[in-house]
Structure formats: C-alpha cells, structure tokens
Amino acid sequence: MKDLKTVEQSTLKTFKTHRPSEYFKEKENDKSFNVHDKKVEHLYRFGLAFPPEYFRGRTLIDLGAGTGHHTVSLARWGAKCTLVEMNDDALDVARNVFSEFSEVEDHHFINSSLYDIDKVKYREKFDIAHSRGVLTHVADKRGAFEILASLAKPGGYVIYGDRNTCGGIQEMLQRLAVYSYAGNDELQIVNVSEKLFSDDIDRSVLSVPRSREAVIYDRWVIRQQDDPSISDVIDFFEENNLLYVNSWPRIDFLGRGVSTFTDPNNNHALKQGAFLVENLWMILNDGESENIKSLEGVGIGEYKNLLVTVANMLRNLNADTEIDLGSMQQDFRTMKKLSKEAFGEPLLISRLDKFFNEVESFIESINNKKSLSEIRQELDAYEILFKGFSGVRHVDYIAYKKVL
C-alpha cells in the first residue's frame, strides 16, 4: 500500500493549486449560491430521499469538507456541522462561506487529515457522518471508511459519495491518454487535456460553474484516484455495522424487491444486480431514457401495447366479467412470440459492441503514438466513448448504523 502521508501530500499540493469544490461565487451575489443550494436540496430530498427537515438540530461531521460549498446547505437546514479539512486554504474559504450563508453559528472547523482527528473524542458522537469525493484520493480507503463510520452514533446515518469503478472507466481511459502524452508535467497535462477533451470540460463547466483548470486538476492532474465499485461500498457497509438505505444515482437493479415484506437488506442480490447498473454507467451518454432503451429490443413497442391491452382486460376481474377465452389465449401466444423481439437482443448488446470497438481503436491510436490532432479527429467521430456524460462520475450512498 502506498504511504498514507505521501499520497496525502501529493493530493494536498494538487488541490492547493486549484480547489475542486468551489461551486459558487462568494460575496458576488446570491444567484450562483441559490442555484447550487437548490441542486443540493433536490439531491437529498428527491434523489437520496433523505429530506432536509431531518437535518434540523442534528450533529454532523464532514470529512474532507473542502471549501464547505456543499456542507453549508446542510447547515442551512439546521445541522450543527464539524468540518474536517487538511487544506488550510480551503478551510478558510469554508469559514467565510458559513459566515455568509449559514444562519446557525454553532459550527466547528478542524484543519486536519481525516486520519489524524481525535478518534476517541469523536467516536459515535454524530447523528450524521458525511464524506463526499474524498476517499477516492486516499491510500487506505478501507481504513478511511472505518473512521467515517465510527463517527456516527448507533441509530445515525453515514452519507458517503465517490466515483465508481465501472462508471469511471472512460475517465481512466482519458487519464491513460493524458499521461501517455504529458507524463507528470502539470502544464502539459492541462495542454493535452484541452486538446483531446475540451468538449468534456465544456460540459462539466456548464453543469457546475468551476474553472476549466479546476476540472482538469480534479480529473487528470490528481495522482491518486482509486474509485470503488458498488460491491466495494456494500462490503464497507457490512464491515462497519451499516445497512444500505439509498443511493443517487440508484444502484437498485431492475426488479429489486418482490413484496411489501421483502428484506431490503439482501446485500448479495444487491451486489449481483448492481453489476448490470455499472455496465449502463460505463457507457452512459444521453441519460436515463438511454438506459431504459438499452434493456429493450427492437420489438418492444408492439409487445408493450398488447400487454397493456390484456392487463387492462383482466383488471378487476370478477364473476360477472365476460372474457373471450379463445381470443385471450391467442393474445398470450402472440405476446410469447413478440417477447423474443422485445427482449431477446436488447440494444445494450449493440451499444456495448460499439463502445468496445471505440475503446480498442482509442488504445491502438495511443499505442501507435499518433499525434494529438489525429487522435482528436478520431474522438470526434466516436458515438459513445467520451460523449455526453462519459460515464457516471459520482455516486452518493446513505447507510444506517445499526443499534446493537
């Protein structure tokens, strides 16, 4: 395992150059803050189904809080926050952000590595233990998660977010290209990133108003980026007395749960089913409708129309219902035939085939040491690789700490 402090110092150097967690402008106007604050509310209320009202009066610790631009929304909902951040520059920004936007004053700021906090003093002291986008950059992720989980009270919650292994494959392929042509030279990394992946940077800046340099440093300059799989995260939960509650984007697989009293804590099924989700994340381009279509075949429309018709015929069936059994039997025969085209060869197969072909071409171009302009011309012709969302770059999880 890499030395903890060596990795920490490398990460600190990168994020002192360009801080990745500044999502709005302070002391300029409230507009940019309000836009971000609303996004955070929608994430927790509708994505994670963890309403802002829950935070009122709760104690919360945030490991790797950065500039506090995310945590301040939780404080505005009434949480009493303790922010732990090893970057003193970022922590100074966090203090200013809380002073300007938080209505509650009972907050604490600790300039420290998450590994060096007083683990005895803070053990099981918080209603919510929170960390987003941090553990992917540490050398001992499992140990760091154990610290995070230990801070939550039994009956409390852990909110954890990071990139995903499969969802981040496209970003790792970008890193492969960047390092192949730029090595560890930061100026060259910026230059190569702009030449090859300017469209991706454009999209990111439009989505979250960071500087282009902040995006590049957060993705390609940063040395340590070890993204966990869904299975890794569920293992972390099991090892630390935690039960999975929810996530956004959802890791739930198609058909999860079979009755009102199905055990929601079937981690084996959750990990098995989540692998399909990770395949969709790997090739994500346009969004949710694309994911739905990926699981359908070319004949889904006709099959769906007939199924809806038959299902409606059977609704509220009782002794007085008159049904033509011969006609219904024929309908089910037809659905049997149509189902083969509806699900027999889902579009996911062709999308994966196209993706893998583009990846193979991309790697061959790097291996053949083609010029940046030649590679960029090839990238522009791709249909999936490095297009749109370019995978799933962050997943948030909520877990409940059991009371033993």
Side-chain angles (χ1 to χ4, degrees), residues 54-65:
Y54 178 82
F55 288 82
R56 184 162 299 282
R58 308 288 182 177
T59 54
L60 179 148
I61 188 167
D62 190 4
L63 297 186

Side-chain angles (χ1 to χ4, degrees), residues 276 279-280 282-283 290-298 339-358 383-384:
L276 172 60
N279 273 269
L280 293 172
M282 177 177 66
I283 58 176
E290 174 186 74
N291 288 339
I292 295 170
K293 292 176 182 176
S294 290
L295 301 178
E296 300 173 344
V298 293
S339 67
K340 292 179 173 61
E341 293 184 356
F343 302 109
E345 190 170 335
L347 295 178
L348 177 61
I349 295 174
S350 61
R351 292 190 66 229
L352 284 171
D353 185 65
K354 184 172 294 184
F355 173 76
F356 292 136
N357 285 337
E358 291 176 353
E383 295 182 33
I384 297 178

Side-chain angles (χ1 to χ4, degrees), residues 47-49 230 234 244-257 264-267 269-278 280-281 291 295 395-398:
L48 295 169
I230 294 173
I234 299 301
Y244 168 77
V245 175
N246 210 345
S247 68
W248 190 259
R250 292 275 196 271
I251 68 171
D252 298 7
F253 55 90
L254 186 66
R256 182 176 181 233
N265 303 122
N266 185 346
N267 286 344
L270 188 61
K271 287 192 283 188
Q272 280 189 309
F275 182 67
L276 172 60
V277 176
E278 289 179 312
L280 293 172
W281 287 355
N291 288 339
L295 301 178
V395 185
D396 286 307
Y397 303 83
I398 292 183

Side-chain angles (χ1 to χ4, degrees), residues 9-42:
Q9 290 305 309
S10 173
T11 300
L12 182 60
K13 176 180 178 295
T14 300
F15 291 152
K16 269 184 168 289
T17 306
H18 286 285
R19 296 186 290 267
S21 59
E22 292 181 299
Y23 306 129
F24 53 84
K25 301 297 182 182
E26 306 154 53
K27 302 185 185 304
E28 180 183 89
N29 56 58
D30 289 341
K31 183 178 180 180
S32 60
F33 168 76
N34 290 336
V35 169
H36 181 70
D37 189 53
K38 183 60 66 175
K39 288 180 180 178
V40 177
E41 180 187 349
H42 276 227

Side-chain angles (χ1 to χ4, degrees), residues 26 31 36 54 76 94 108 182 188-189 198 205 230 306 390:
E26 306 154 53
K31 183 178 180 180
H36 181 70
Y54 178 82
R76 285 166 60 86
H108 304 281
Q188 284 301 311
I189 289 174
S198 59
V205 171
I230 294 173
L306 182 54
S390 300

Side-chain angles (χ1 to χ4, degrees), residues 215-226:
V215 173
I216 292 170
Y217 271 69
D218 191 27
R219 291 185 184 166
W220 302 304
V221 173
I222 185 71
R223 297 291 297 276
Q224 176 77 9
Q225 186 176 312
D226 180 16

